[in-house]
Amino acid sequence: MADEDETKEYRWESGYEKTWEAIKEDDDGLLESNVADLVARAKRKRAALKATGAIQLGMMRHLFVVVDASACMFLQDLKPTRFLCVLKLLEVFVHEFFDLNPISQLGILTTKMKRSEQITVLAGNQKKHIEALQQLKDLSCEGEPSLQNSLERAMNGLKNMPAHSSREILVLFGSLTTCDPGDIQKTIKALKDNNIRVSIIGLAAEVRICREIAKKTGGTYNVLIDDHHLKELILSQVQPPAVAGSLEASLVKMGFPGGTPSVNDGTSDSSADHAPAYCLCHIDSETSSLMGPNGYNCPQCGSRYCELPVECKQCGLTLVSAPHLARSYHHLFPIKPFMERAQVPDTTHCFACAKLFLEAETNVYECENCHQIVCLDCDLFIRETLHTCPGCASDPVTAQMKTN
């Protein structure tokens, strides 16, 4: 990987290219077929990136998002401003992150005036993070950022996390400079020693120290082209990173609290379960108030919570629901990539969506187990969203083989 980064040329160092020659008119003088070909080529590129094999991914992630709030974030090369554009995309990112990683935790930091400020602590409540991002819209962007202070603060919150979970930092950096109090090389070494992966997205131009941090910690570093590319770069961090080869399997103790039944349904004889109590999620909040009978009780210490997943503040037990665990299961055993092969006349339609194959679709995708044929769109949907082959799931024989 290091050799590839060193030999890779920058755009301005490459040879002269006539990019407009890639667009050609068809026999009717239209560009629709050419545009469709470009879209299909982009989809095939996405499929090729995801067809690297069935790599085991981490189920539990602890991620800090660092947002640059320095004076440069008031620039309007991203509309309406860099800062507001980033906040809007982060709301989408938080929703997608917890949808794909329901038992993970996320925290938000900002950096400005050579300092770093914690906006939200590591938690699994996406509503809390989205509300915090919406409140940041009125924040004034000023001063210079401090990359070292931000990484140090995030590292202090991550280094004590359990070894079976991944520790990650995502930095959205708009400045070309950073004002640090000490030697940032010592910080990079500490991040590497604590197995913390740092990924950075640059909003202006490439900064050497950012590339060095990402390279030495095993993260990624990219610089955006436009706002659409920025959205792609941010959402690419939703997918969990591959589990390190040295990471050993470990048992994690979890609690499955049931929803407290209402008083009138007669299913519980204990009046203590229905007694009003403070929710420990919001007990430190100024707006905290007594909860009604609805909520979740920790099966170990009996503490009351309003939402799941959450880590119990009293006993430290991770509280989840069965659907959360089921949605994370596919990270441990990801679906095998489908085999790409040339389209044959016998196969006329996609097994998944029943769409007829067009002449322009030269390649189709076949499952190794059930040998059903799907189109490119369904292949991407199965790997990115469904995580289950519809052919295997509908065939009792292959479904039984998969469970065994």
Side-chain angles (χ1 to χ4, degrees):
M1 178 67 79
D3 296 336
E4 292 180 3
D5 292 338
E6 293 176 0
T7 58
K8 185 179 178 181
E9 289 185 338
Y10 291 102
R11 186 73 174 178
W12 59 83
E13 293 178 330
S14 60
Y16 181 72
E17 299 178 7
K18 298 180 180 180
T19 54
W20 58 87
E21 291 185 354
I23 301 177
K24 297 179 181 179
E25 297 179 352
D26 57 13
D27 296 336
D28 298 328
L30 302 176
L31 298 176
E32 292 180 359
S33 59
N34 190 263
V35 171
D37 182 62
L38 293 175
V39 172
R41 196 180 307 168
K43 289 180 180 178
R44 283 194 294 270
K45 185 177 179 180
R46 276 174 57 199
L49 291 174
K50 293 182 178 294
T52 54
I55 302 175
Q56 185 180 5
L57 304 176
M59 288 180 63
M60 300 183 67
R61 302 173 65 186
H62 293 89
L63 171 69
F64 265 114
V65 179
V66 180
V67 183
D68 188 352
S70 59
C72 68
M73 296 298 285
F74 263 149
L75 296 177
Q76 297 183 352
D77 48 358
L78 297 176
K79 301 300 180 183
T81 62
R82 286 184 183 179
F83 191 63
L84 294 178
C85 180
V86 166
L87 293 181
K88 191 66 177 177
L89 292 177
L90 280 179
E91 291 183 27
V92 180
F93 169 77
V94 170
H95 177 74
E96 295 292 334
F97 178 83
F98 285 107
D99 185 61
L100 194 62
N101 309 275
I103 60 175
S104 299
Q105 295 185 357
L106 182 141
I108 301 173
L109 305 174
T110 59
T111 174
K112 67 174 184 175
M113 301 292 291
K114 307 171 188 176
R115 296 183 177 89
S116 178
E117 181 182 355
Q118 183 162 311
I119 306 302
T120 60
V121 298
L122 281 174
N125 189 339
Q126 65 170 312
K127 292 182 180 179
K128 182 178 178 181
H129 297 304
I130 292 177
E131 289 175 359
L133 289 171
Q134 292 173 347
Q135 293 174 1
L136 281 178
K137 293 179 180 179
D138 299 328
L139 183 69
S140 62
C141 298
E142 52 188 343
E144 286 186 87
S146 177
L147 200 54
Q148 185 181 18
N149 284 335
S150 301
L151 295 177
E152 290 278 359
R153 181 181 282 270
M155 181 171 58
N156 290 334
L158 291 172
K159 63 183 180 182
N160 295 323
M161 290 297 114
H164 58 260
S165 63
S166 65
R167 309 166 186 172
E168 306 167 56
I169 301 175
L170 172 61
V171 183
L172 297 166
F173 201 63
S175 176
L176 296 177
T177 59
T178 173
C179 187
D180 299 328
D183 185 4
I184 198 171
Q185 295 296 335
K186 294 181 180 179
T187 304
I188 297 174
K189 185 178 183 302
L191 289 167
K192 188 176 180 181
D193 293 342
N194 287 283
N195 294 322
I196 298 176
R197 185 195 315 259
V198 182
S199 297
I200 303 177
I201 299 176
L203 306 182
E206 182 171 322
V207 181
R208 182 183 178 276
I209 191 61
C210 294
R211 178 167 291 282
E212 185 176 349
I213 292 171
K215 181 179 178 182
K216 290 186 177 180
T217 60
T220 59
Y221 177 54
N222 295 283
V223 179
L224 85 166
I225 299 174
D226 52 22
D227 54 346
H228 298 290
H229 187 224
L230 176 60
K231 183 177 181 180
E232 291 181 10
L233 293 177
I234 293 178
L235 293 182
S236 67
Q237 301 295 324
V238 171
Q239 188 76 9
V243 172
S246 59
L247 187 63
E248 298 180 357
S250 58
L251 297 176
V252 183
K253 189 176 181 180
M254 292 186 176
F256 297 89
T260 305
S262 62
V263 181
N264 298 326
D265 63 2
T267 57
S268 175
D269 298 331
S270 175
S271 60
D273 290 341
H274 307 299
Y278 280 102
C279 167
L280 291 191
C281 301
H282 306 92
I283 197 168
D284 297 329
S285 174
E286 297 178 357
T287 59
S288 62
S289 59
L290 285 173
M291 291 180 60
N294 297 323
Y296 302 94
N297 293 334
C298 175
Q300 186 163 275
C301 67
S303 300
R304 182 75 63 85
Y305 294 92
C306 60
E307 289 183 343
L308 297 177
V310 69
E311 183 174 331
C312 182
K313 293 184 178 182
Q314 292 288 93
C315 61
L317 184 66
T318 302
L319 306 179
V320 297
S321 64
H324 288 149
L325 204 58
R327 281 161 50 196
S328 302
Y329 182 76
H330 62 264
H331 295 325
L332 289 179
F333 304 100
I335 186 172
K336 291 183 179 179
F338 288 2
M339 298 181 296
E340 182 178 359
R341 65 179 183 82
Q343 182 181 347
V344 294
D346 297 340
T347 308
T348 59
H349 64 279
C350 170
F351 175 81
C353 64
K355 182 185 72 173
L356 293 175
F357 290 127
L358 304 176
E359 295 181 359
E361 298 181 40
T362 56
N363 295 328
V364 292
Y365 299 84
E366 179 182 357
C367 175
E368 294 182 2
N369 296 327
C370 64
H371 303 291
Q372 297 291 350
I373 305 298
V374 298
C375 62
L376 177 59
D377 291 329
C378 290
D379 176 51
L380 289 173
F381 178 74
I382 289 169
R383 273 186 278 179
E384 293 177 350
T385 306
L386 198 59
H387 304 292
T388 302
C389 172
C392 295
S394 60
D395 187 353
V397 177
T398 54
Q400 186 67 26
M401 291 171 56
K402 190 174 181 180
T403 55
N404 294 337

